[in-house]
Amino acid sequence: MVRIGAIVLNVSNTSRAAAFWSQALSYQPDINPDFLVPTDSRAPHLHLDSEDRTHIDLWAVDEADQLAETQRLLRLGATRVDWNYPKNADFIVLADPDGTLFCVINTSA
């Protein structure tokens, strides 16, 4: 079963955004200071990015779960997005019925 694992937020200045959002949400910087983690493990992470568009990342527990959930989401009306994937990508890019992009992430990769 997938869950919202992260919200990727497009920002113009990741340092400024990290200072604001970490205080606003009481999140802590991860190893990468552009990745903010919640104190409540059930809450989604916040990834700050100046290049990527705002979207959600759905987290799957492993590759089998990722593939099964991708198929389930496609049956629900999602579509595959033609994407230039890096080697060993741990994500699959889909679009919801309105065309909003989101990723299904294999968190065990």
Side-chain angles (χ1 to χ4, degrees):
M1 181 83 162
V2 290
R3 66 181 179 95
I4 296 177
I7 298 169
V8 180
L9 188 62
N10 178 269
V11 297
S12 61
N13 181 311
T14 58
S15 297
R16 181 179 60 218
F20 173 80
W21 286 112
S22 63
Q23 291 179 35
L25 300 173
S26 296
Y27 277 32
Q28 300 297 316
D30 200 359
I31 294 169
N32 179 334
D34 294 341
F35 291 3
L36 303 178
V37 295
T39 54
D40 177 352
S41 63
R42 296 171 296 169
H45 293 208
L46 183 62
H47 296 179
L48 306 168
D49 196 308
S50 61
E51 296 176 16
D52 204 355
R53 66 183 80 189
T54 296
H55 66 278
I56 61 171
D57 287 343
L58 301 179
W59 287 4
V61 296
D62 57 27
E63 185 177 10
D65 187 41
Q66 178 190 36
L67 296 175
E69 288 295 324
T70 297
Q71 290 304 313
R72 184 180 71 85
L73 293 163
L74 291 169
R75 286 191 303 274
L76 291 173
T79 55
R80 286 191 178 269
V81 174
D82 186 27
W83 200 262
N84 185 19
Y85 289 95
K87 185 177 179 181
N88 300 321
D90 63 352
F91 63 96
I92 298 170
V93 181
L94 300 176
D96 73 7
D98 285 323
T100 303
L101 300 185
F102 64 96
C103 296
V104 181
I105 310 288
N106 171 2
T107 60
S108 70

